[in-house]
Amino acid sequence: MKRIISLMISALIMIALVGCSGNESVSGEKKEDKKLTTVKVGYMPNYASLNTVVAGMKTDSFKEEGIKVKLVEFADGPTIIAALESGSIDIGYIGPGAHVLPIQGKADIFAFSQLGNGDEVIGNVKKGVKSINDLKGKTIAVAPGTSSETILNLTLAEAGLTQDDVKLMNMDASAIVTAMISGSVDAVATWSPNTIAIKKEMGKDVVMLSNNKRYADKSPSIASWVVKPGYSDKNKDLLERFTRGLFKGMDYRVDHLNKVAEWVAKEIAVDPKSVLDQTGDGEWITTKELVKRIKDGTLEAYYQKQEENFVEAGRLKKKEMRPVKDYVLFDNMLNAAN
């Protein structure tokens, strides 16, 4: 009898242990975490690209929406959109230059991020580039199809020049920094943190010729979050939940710029000071302000002006222009904001 009782007690203990361990997987991951939907997010390694999504991750805003974010790094917006098309990521962040692709039907914009001020054209003083007018005939490094090409075209136009009046060297983002510091080029058009790295390394030997703020009235420097066409139709609820998590991160960021900068620095494994220097690269608004700009038509006007600028710059044919509402999902933003 005692043996039977002992066996029964042992069995009850084993059942209890199995019940306790049932909340965790072999890897130690809790069952509740297994219920989270993983969303692969393409980003660029800078504060502007990462601040809202990292803030949402660190404050559990995405987790509250049943989402686990997996970050995937890219060098630029066009590459991110190509990754969306291939299916290697679900969602991506793009800067101003890559917005020509959503207009052409290669992506849908589901959330506005910010108006940026992180792009600059920088001249090498030792190479005789001290002003915009000095760019004629000079060798300039640029990443084609990105915001750096947009800022370069605006800068050249101010001096009465076109790309035919200079020698362009097409490079990826990391190569531009090396080319400028080594003296291989006379000027560069690039974005933060490349601009910060160049100025820090070269000091008085470089001069900032122009930036987004200089052309804010002519060319709003828009950054946005995108998905591939049709994604929102198949994943309406998921996209809305992701956007809601993103907006919660956006609102947290407004009052915690430096704290979020520290989180971003840790995420991309760089010196926190270099990321703190980037907190001035954009206009950081709240969800409430974003909703206001949607309802009064300001946001739509930003994107419309951007289309017109692409046509004027020769990057978009007039026949390719289409209504902003065809590729910017304003309803998704408004639903997520409620």
Side-chain angles (χ1 to χ4, degrees):
M1 185 67 180
K2 287 183 179 180
R3 179 175 176 77
I4 293 173
I5 292 172
S6 176
L7 288 171
M8 289 176 66
I9 292 172
S10 296
L12 288 171
I13 291 172
M14 287 298 293
I15 291 170
L17 287 173
V18 170
C20 291
S21 63
N23 289 329
E24 295 191 7
S25 65
V26 175
S27 64
E29 183 181 44
K30 292 183 179 180
K31 262 192 175 181
E32 63 187 54
D33 290 339
K34 273 193 166 185
K35 294 178 182 177
L36 299 179
T37 301
T38 298
V39 176
K40 291 173 286 184
V41 179
Y43 73 95
M44 289 172 271
N46 56 49
Y47 185 82
S49 178
L50 276 172
N51 65 77
T52 51
V53 69
V54 167
M57 292 167 67
K58 291 293 186 180
T59 58
D60 284 341
S61 297
F62 290 112
K63 191 173 183 180
E64 291 169 2
E65 298 296 331
I67 292 170
K68 179 180 179 181
V69 172
K70 181 180 179 181
L71 295 174
V72 185
E73 182 178 328
F74 293 89
D76 54 56
T79 308
I80 285 175
I81 289 181
L84 289 174
E85 292 174 339
S86 71
S88 60
I89 59 173
D90 305 301
I91 282 167
Y93 168 98
I94 61 171
H99 277 70
V100 71
L101 298 172
I103 300 169
Q104 293 172 328
K106 296 182 179 179
D108 285 336
I109 295 167
F110 71 87
F112 171 82
S113 184
Q114 79 271 340
L115 290 179
N117 190 40
D119 301 296
E120 296 181 9
V121 176
I122 302 174
N124 187 330
V125 174
K126 287 189 173 182
K127 294 287 189 108
V129 183
K130 298 179 182 180
S131 71
I132 292 173
N133 292 325
D134 295 328
L135 290 172
K136 186 173 183 178
K138 297 297 184 180
T139 301
I140 306 172
V142 62
T146 67
S147 55
S148 64
E149 185 174 25
T150 301
I151 194 74
L152 176 60
N153 288 336
L154 289 166
T155 305
L156 292 174
E158 183 179 342
L161 305 172
T162 68
Q163 290 189 5
D164 293 334
D165 297 309
V166 298
K167 299 175 184 176
L168 289 186
M169 291 189 67
N170 295 333
M171 299 182 178
D172 64 32
S174 58
I176 286 176
V177 177
T178 303
M180 186 63 167
I181 293 173
S182 68
S184 300
V185 295
D186 306 315
V188 297
T190 189
W191 57 84
S192 177
N194 294 345
T195 52
I196 295 170
I198 290 169
K199 288 184 282 189
K200 182 178 180 181
E201 182 68 26
M202 299 183 69
K204 295 180 180 179
D205 290 338
V206 294
V207 59
M208 190 271 286
L209 303 176
S210 62
N211 60 8
N212 301 115
K213 191 177 291 186
R214 187 182 185 100
Y215 306 112
D217 59 331
K218 299 178 181 178
S219 180
S221 182
I222 308 169
S224 302
W225 290 94
V226 294
V227 290
K228 67 180 180 181
Y231 181 92
S232 60
D233 295 331
K234 298 176 182 178
N235 303 276
K236 184 178 184 298
D237 177 67
L238 176 60
L239 191 61
E240 189 176 304
R241 285 188 284 122
F242 181 89
T243 309
R244 189 175 296 115
L246 199 65
F247 285 174
K248 290 177 184 177
M250 176 190 294
D251 290 338
Y252 180 88
R253 168 209 60 194
V254 170
D255 296 320
H256 304 86
L257 286 177
N258 291 356
K259 181 65 177 177
V260 175
E262 292 173 7
W263 288 340
V264 170
K266 187 174 182 180
E267 184 65 44
I268 59 178
V270 299
D271 177 16
K273 175 65 167 59
S274 67
V275 181
L276 284 168
D277 289 340
Q278 299 170 34
T279 56
D281 289 348
E283 178 200 26
W284 317 117
I285 64 172
T286 62
T287 303
K288 184 178 180 180
E289 176 59 29
L290 176 57
V291 169
K292 179 178 179 295
R293 295 187 190 186
I294 293 173
K295 291 184 175 179
D296 68 13
T298 300
L299 193 62
E300 185 173 357
Y302 289 160
Y303 287 105
Q304 182 61 45
K305 182 61 177 174
Q306 188 179 59
E307 277 200 43
E308 294 166 4
N309 289 338
F310 281 137
V311 172
E312 189 176 337
R315 293 194 57 207
L316 186 73
K317 295 178 181 178
K318 196 166 184 178
K319 65 180 181 180
E320 291 178 304
M321 292 181 72
R322 59 186 182 130
V324 172
K325 290 180 180 179
D326 284 358
Y327 62 92
V328 180
L329 309 181
F330 293 112
D331 286 346
N332 175 72
M333 290 184 250
L334 291 174
N335 292 337
N338 289 333

